[in-house]
Amino acid sequence: MMIVLYILLGLFAILFWAVSIEPNWYRLKKIRIHLPKKVKKPFTILHLSDTHFIGNAGSKKRFFQELSMLNPDLVCLTGDVIDNDGGIETATRLLSGIRARYGSFFILGNHDYYDYRLKDVLLYNAGITRKSSVRNNTSKFTAELKKIGVTTVINQSVKLEVHGNPVVLGGTDDPLTQRVDFERTLH
């Protein structure tokens, strides 16, 4: 009987984390990386991941207004930008305020592909499935991001020059839904 109670408590903790904590846990952390001497001029990258936008911006609106003041050289969006199709408009509206000198780049995460409902979260965290039965409209989402100047780099790489430095930016597709193609990305 106690083991059933522990299992139920564990499932509740996972569900609480997946629904209440992770989608609303955002912060700005500045990291300085020491670059090789051959780098002509340092540059800044704003890395955004797991924003989990839904139909309304909530408290994320203020956070993204603050991010729009940063003026980074590059913006990298590394998946789980939306939770469902309702987040497409919110994401594009808030992301459109963030401008990067040398471009913004995007890859998809499992939440960008699938709208995980309660049943799906439980099955996912139990290791039974990685996918939801409800698909998000990823083609619409990527098209909307393209309209605001975000370049999709799914299983491909892009060559850039940032402050005179050659930069190769590679982006894989979502590993959880087994769409990664490293060979194509690194080509």
Side-chain angles (χ1 to χ4, degrees), residues 53-79:
F53 284 109
I54 55 173
N56 63 8
S59 60
K60 291 178 188 175
K61 182 178 179 182
R62 183 168 175 230
F63 181 70
F64 274 79
Q65 287 171 336
E66 291 173 19
L67 293 179
S68 71
M69 307 299 275
L70 295 177
N71 299 314
D73 294 312
L74 297 169
V75 172
C76 297
L77 302 163
T78 56

Side-chain angles (χ1 to χ4, degrees), residues 102-182:
Y102 295 92
S104 297
F105 302 89
F106 167 69
I107 60 171
L108 293 165
N110 63 317
H111 284 265
D112 300 312
Y113 283 108
Y114 297 101
D115 181 353
Y116 290 89
R117 308 289 169 90
L118 175 59
K119 168 190 70 125
D120 302 312
V121 171
L122 293 173
L123 293 173
Y124 176 89
N125 286 295
I128 296 169
T129 185
R130 298 275 185 213
K131 300 176 183 177
S132 167
S133 59
V134 180
R135 286 203 50 120
N136 285 329
N137 190 343
T138 53
S139 58
K140 177 182 177 185
F141 182 42
T142 55
E144 292 298 314
L145 287 176
K146 185 176 182 176
K147 286 180 189 176
I148 63 167
V150 178
T151 302
T152 304
V153 287
I154 298 172
N155 287 328
Q156 58 186 334
S157 58
V158 178
K159 292 180 182 179
L160 307 166
E161 189 169 301
V162 179
H163 296 306
N165 300 299
V167 174
V168 177
L169 184 66
T172 61
D173 205 342
D174 174 52
L176 291 177
T177 53
Q178 301 173 344
R179 299 169 189 265
V180 173
D181 186 343
F182 286 113

